[in-house]
Amino acid sequence: MLLSHGGEPARTDGPVARWTVEQVLALAPDDASRRAGSELGAAGPWSGGGHDAAGAVWGLCGGSGSTPYRTMVDTTGPAYRCSCPSRKSPCKHALGLLLVWASDVSALPEREVPDWAGEWLTGRRERAAGRPSTAERLAAGGARAAGPADPEAAGRRAERRAERITGGALELEERLADLLRGGLAAAGQPGHAFWEETAARMVDAQAPGLAARVRELGAVPASGPDWPVRLLEECALLHLLDSAWLGIDRLPGPLAATVRTRVGLTPPAEGPPVRDDWLVLAQYDTPDGRIVTRRIWLHGRRTGRTTLLLSFGAAGRSPGLALPVGGTIDAELTFHPGTGRLRAALEGQAGAAEPGGTPPPGSTVTEAVAAYGEALREDPWLDAWPVTLREVVPAPSGDGWQLLDAAGGAALPVAPAALSRPGLWKLAALSGGSPVTVFGACGHRGFEPYAAWPADAGDDATSGTVALV
């Protein structure tokens, strides 16, 4: 029997806010629990489930035995109870149940609490201390669901995770030193398990950002000629990130926030909301196991600011947030610190999206490269920077493609990742040899196009955005 030590619940005067998939995944005690919970994040394994307006969620999950596991969650703690033998809190069943609740409104309808869940829930509610619940804080844009109600407990939890990340960074430094001491040639041998084993150790240290970068290094030896040079460069950047984390107390505030984000500690959005008419530049999904990450790029007409929204879907389901590419929304965004303050959270949208939208003003190829260089000063680990190129012509170049500046003669190579996508041919067809405006990411691998507009897409144009991803 699994019992949590979540905070005491609070009485609520109205329905609690439904959590997002990202908030649920942040509750996982480790990466293995996150993956196992995602496997149960669809309605199929569940029966007899539901939720009530006071924040309770419950369901029966079929397992290997004849009797299904009884899983209950009080989201106002949060607190969890499950009849499975797991000692983790929350267990995979509680995570899966919350993922269903977050991503499928109809799978767990609002209904009366059954007797098998009612005793535990009633006991918790009778001990209500009267302080704001987690769900109420989420609805108000406050503390994340992953943290306990007690601020002191939250602080202790953050300290323990920081200690684990520090231990992981120290171990990673030793492993990188051993790799370089033995020579990079060993990293290119078939079946070399160094990278996966090291990434698993970083997951154990609760540093998913370090784990992801280590896994990316594993693909460098198979990336073509001169891979040892690229591997050495990436190892140097990883060493720089390790060193920055180990000396984070001496870093300026913005750089420290960037380092925390890069190791996997994403800070919450903060500061006053920014309201603007936001043009939806691009929207595309990236699968990561059974989790789907949706990236939505926006450009503010009045602020001139380009920003990124992220949303997540579990167990093969599409993320909840979807905006029409080429449309314009009147909305308020709150920005996350670090990494150039690119990422934001959608706080509120006034009305439906308006169709049509003119492209951002754009820059030359030379200006785009300079903008990426400036962004690297704040975030040395930045792979690419969002830019809009004006009056460029896509043209083949050797085995690849490039974007030629129609006025200045400079050119940017198209990133290898974009060469096999149908969007490249859509871009070439839109251009037909004439200049176009293109939005995408400019980085050390080249330019990755996400959206385009014809040359005559001026302020009074009604032509839509051509999506390239």
Side-chain angles (χ1 to χ4, degrees):
M1 181 81 61
L2 172 66
L3 291 171
S4 85
H5 298 286
E8 290 297 328
R11 291 182 174 89
T12 58
D13 296 325
V16 300
R18 187 181 298 271
W19 296 352
T20 66
V21 169
E22 183 180 21
Q23 289 166 337
V24 174
L25 293 175
L27 294 166
D30 51 44
D31 193 58
S33 298
R34 189 176 296 109
R35 290 195 300 269
S38 297
E39 295 285 340
L40 299 173
W46 296 93
S47 63
H51 76 279
D52 70 3
V57 186
W58 63 89
L60 302 172
C61 185
S64 56
S66 58
T67 303
Y69 295 121
R70 295 179 171 183
T71 307
M72 296 151 276
V73 180
D74 184 354
T75 62
T76 63
Y80 325 91
R81 184 172 185 176
C82 184
S83 59
C84 76
S86 174
R87 298 179 64 86
K88 295 181 179 181
S89 179
C91 67
K92 66 179 182 181
H93 302 101
L95 289 171
L97 179 66
L98 287 173
L99 287 172
V100 175
W101 177 61
S103 60
D104 190 347
V105 177
S106 62
L108 297 172
E110 185 173 345
R111 59 177 56 162
E112 185 177 349
V113 180
D115 292 341
W116 57 267
E119 182 178 354
W120 177 70
L121 292 166
T122 300
R124 285 188 52 77
R125 289 168 181 173
E126 288 177 349
R127 297 190 301 270
R131 57 179 175 266
S133 68
T134 300
E136 291 170 334
R137 293 197 307 274
L138 287 173
R144 292 174 293 172
D150 186 353
E152 293 183 2
R156 291 192 297 269
R157 181 178 178 178
E159 290 177 2
R160 288 195 298 269
R161 184 173 182 186
E163 291 173 358
R164 297 191 66 175
I165 295 175
T166 298
L170 291 171
E171 180 178 349
L172 183 56
E173 285 292 281
E174 295 176 359
R175 288 174 175 248
L176 289 175
D178 291 342
L179 174 67
L180 297 177
R181 191 179 299 114
L184 294 179
Q189 297 175 0
H192 189 62
F194 173 82
W195 305 115
E196 276 305 318
E197 180 188 355
T198 304
R201 293 293 298 161
M202 296 305 101
V203 171
D204 292 341
Q206 294 185 297
L210 294 179
R213 297 191 75 88
V214 169
R215 290 194 182 98
E216 290 175 359
L217 290 180
V220 174
S223 61
D226 299 326
W227 66 261
V229 175
R230 292 191 294 276
L231 182 60
L232 184 60
E233 292 173 348
E234 295 298 329
C235 285
L237 283 173
L238 187 54
H239 165 68
L240 180 64
L241 182 56
D242 273 344
S243 302
W245 172 261
L246 296 174
I248 196 168
D249 293 339
R250 300 188 298 273
L251 298 180
L255 182 57
T258 294
V259 171
R260 292 189 184 95
T261 301
R262 288 299 180 188
V263 300
L265 294 174
T266 303
E270 60 185 19
V274 177
R275 184 169 182 175
D276 204 341
D277 293 325
W278 300 94
L279 171 65
V280 184
L281 298 171
Q283 175 177 290
Y284 54 96
D285 294 348
T286 304
D288 182 11
R290 292 182 63 85
I291 302 298
V292 177
T293 302
R294 174 165 293 167
R295 290 172 170 82
I296 303 177
W297 288 98
L298 306 175
H299 178 79
R301 294 195 181 281
R302 295 187 296 274
T303 61
R305 192 167 187 170
T306 300
T307 187
L308 174 66
L309 303 181
L310 293 182
S311 60
F312 303 87
R317 296 184 178 276
S318 297
L321 181 61
L323 298 175
V325 174
T328 301
I329 60 171
D330 179 5
E332 288 187 342
L333 305 182
T334 302
F335 289 82
H336 294 257
T339 59
R341 293 184 65 85
L342 273 182
R343 185 181 172 186
L346 180 63
E347 298 294 342
Q349 179 178 338
E354 296 292 334
T358 57
S363 61
T364 65
V365 167
T366 301
E367 291 168 341
V369 174
Y372 175 53
E374 286 295 320
L376 282 174
R377 297 176 60 182
E378 296 186 11
D379 184 357
W381 307 277
L382 189 67
D383 289 328
W385 184 253
V387 295
T388 300
L389 301 176
R390 66 171 183 266
E391 295 188 352
V392 292
V393 180
S397 174
D399 294 334
W401 282 71
Q402 60 184 355
L403 297 176
L404 298 170
D405 193 324
L412 267 177
V414 174
L419 293 178
S420 59
R421 294 177 186 156
L424 180 60
W425 300 108
K426 292 169 64 177
L427 176 61
L430 177 70
S431 167
S434 300
V436 291
T437 299
V438 186
F439 167 75
C442 177
H444 61 90
R445 297 183 181 93
F447 185 87
E448 195 166 350
Y450 296 152
W453 300 262
D456 59 354
D459 292 339
D460 58 348
T462 58
S463 54
T465 305
V466 177
L468 305 178
V469 288

